[in-house]
Amino acid sequence: MKRTIVLALCLILCATFAFANGTAEGGAGKAIMGTSSLGGSWYPTGSAMAGAVMQHTDSVITAQATGGGTENLRLMMQNQMQLGLAESNVMVYAYQGTKLFQGQKYDNLRFVANLYPLVFQATVQKASKFMTFKDICDAQGSFSPGSPGSGDEVAWQEIFDGAFGCDYKTLGWKPLSHNERVMAFQDRLLDAIGYETSVPAGAILESSAQIPLRLLAIGGKEREALKAKYSWYSDWLIPAGTYNGQDTDIETVITGTATIADAVNASEKVVYDLVSTLYGPGLKQVQAVHTFTPYIKLETALDGRGPVPVHPGAEKFYKEKGLIK
């Protein structure tokens, strides 16, 4: 796996140089893809995808570290990027011009491919009095959902609302950067932290090695209520033993990771080369990146797109495979 990541990163560095200096082979498609922070799971995933495209086609895709899905969409709106990764729900907000994108409807947004699930995980310290999310709501405890204005923050607002009937404004709601909230949690200045990422989450592994933790469940009738209100969530189970001291299975929910493109600025060629490589000669290379990339499969490629139209380059490929008529 390490060799795969190193190869992908080397290819991306070459692509960046070629892109910036105009030395890419003539006629090749070009695009910049927004991913996540260097520590997030999307950056190595996007880097491997871009590297595979460069290895198997004459297109050049440059994977760029960013603040995640919300930032990727805003940069695409500004024509600073042509491709990106985003949470399925955040993608829909941008296309419809709601929530984070109120009044900023992104008509040219197009769906390319569904990748892998993002799992919602919330931790409290093992000695905490809070045993459930309802306990946090009733006591108006403090909760950090991620950075301010992020897709993570909006998703956790929906979870507290849809599953637990709890207005986040009544809580000690603390949107913070990753490092800030980890330090605050360790210093007992936060009651709980919420994550939206793959399993196991590196941040939780790191924290649980220093502080005994518990995970809070999202299950039963509460989970059904959430799914009834917000259709982009579905069931997931975190198996016992995933984290240090986790003795039982934990029910929770997931949303998807969507690859997205601009209808005008991302060419049909570069998008076709991306999906045909991802679900062709580059698949095993990308699936080897981390524990959740094996969930990238052709049979789930069109999941979670909601009302967002499929990009013509991706549509061409899916028609060839019989997934779109």
Side-chain angles (χ1 to χ4, degrees):
M1 184 175 81
K2 290 181 179 178
R3 290 175 61 188
T4 300
I5 296 173
V6 169
L7 174 62
L9 291 176
C10 288
L11 288 167
I12 293 307
L13 288 173
C14 293
T16 304
F17 179 82
F19 200 97
N21 291 280
T23 59
E25 185 177 337
K30 297 179 183 179
I32 299 173
M33 175 190 288
T35 59
S36 67
S37 66
L38 295 175
S41 69
W42 286 355
Y43 180 73
T45 303
S47 296
M49 291 165 64
V53 169
M54 290 172 54
Q55 189 175 354
H56 297 286
T57 76
D58 62 352
S59 286
V60 177
I61 296 177
T62 304
Q64 184 167 313
T66 67
T70 303
E71 183 177 348
N72 294 338
L73 283 154
R74 295 195 189 285
L75 290 169
M76 288 171 62
M77 288 179 180
Q78 298 163 11
N79 194 24
Q80 296 184 45
M81 292 179 176
Q82 297 76 44
L83 300 168
L85 302 180
E87 302 90 335
S88 297
N89 55 327
V90 175
M91 171 186 69
V92 173
Y93 302 152
Y95 183 70
Q96 295 179 334
T98 58
K99 297 201 176 182
L100 293 163
F101 299 92
Q102 188 70 44
Q104 301 174 347
K105 191 173 185 295
Y106 189 2
D107 292 318
N108 286 336
L109 179 62
R110 295 295 182 267
F111 177 87
V112 174
N114 171 61
L115 297 182
Y116 54 81
L118 296 171
V119 184
F120 289 88
Q121 304 162 75
T123 63
V124 296
Q125 296 198 20
K126 197 161 189 176
S128 170
K129 64 182 180 180
F130 298 122
M131 304 302 293
T132 66
F133 280 99
K134 188 174 185 308
D135 292 342
I136 294 176
C137 292
D138 290 345
Q140 299 182 351
S142 55
F143 184 88
S144 181
S147 57
S150 64
D152 302 48
E153 182 182 14
V154 172
W156 280 110
Q157 290 172 6
E158 290 175 346
I159 289 169
F160 273 96
D161 167 45
F164 306 103
C166 179
D167 184 348
Y168 77 96
K169 295 177 183 177
T170 66
L171 304 175
W173 196 255
K174 305 289 184 183
L176 298 168
S177 70
H178 173 68
N179 289 336
E180 288 173 333
R181 65 194 190 136
V182 168
M183 291 178 62
F185 183 70
Q186 291 177 347
D187 292 340
R188 299 180 183 275
L189 300 176
L190 281 173
D191 294 314
I193 295 181
Y195 299 92
E196 180 189 19
T197 186
S198 55
V199 175
I204 298 178
L205 288 172
E206 183 180 349
S207 294
S208 65
Q210 302 177 46
I211 303 170
L213 300 178
R214 278 189 289 106
L215 276 79
L216 301 181
I218 307 170
K221 294 180 179 179
E222 294 163 332
R223 183 164 64 181
E224 293 307 309
L226 173 68
K227 292 188 297 179
K229 189 165 186 177
Y230 302 107
S231 61
W232 38 77
Y233 298 109
S234 54
D235 298 354
W236 196 260
L237 190 73
I238 303 173
T242 299
Y243 297 109
N244 183 35
Q246 181 199 340
D247 300 325
T248 60
D249 295 341
I250 300 294
E251 292 182 319
T252 187
V253 292
I254 58 171
T255 190
T257 297
T259 309
I260 51 178
D262 187 273
V264 176
N265 299 313
S267 71
E268 181 175 327
K269 171 181 169 47
V270 78
V271 174
Y272 179 86
D273 285 349
L274 173 60
V275 292
S276 61
T277 300
L278 177 61
Y279 298 112
L283 181 59
K284 290 185 178 179
Q285 181 176 329
V286 177
Q287 286 179 330
V289 172
H290 57 71
T291 57
F292 262 42
T293 45
Y295 287 99
I296 300 174
K297 299 176 182 178
L298 180 60
E299 52 264 40
T300 59
L302 289 168
D303 290 358
R305 65 190 184 278
V308 183
V310 178
H311 189 280
E315 184 177 38
K316 177 183 176 182
F317 173 78
Y318 294 134
K319 284 182 176 178
E320 291 174 356
K321 295 298 181 181
L323 297 182
I324 293 179
K325 295 182 179 181

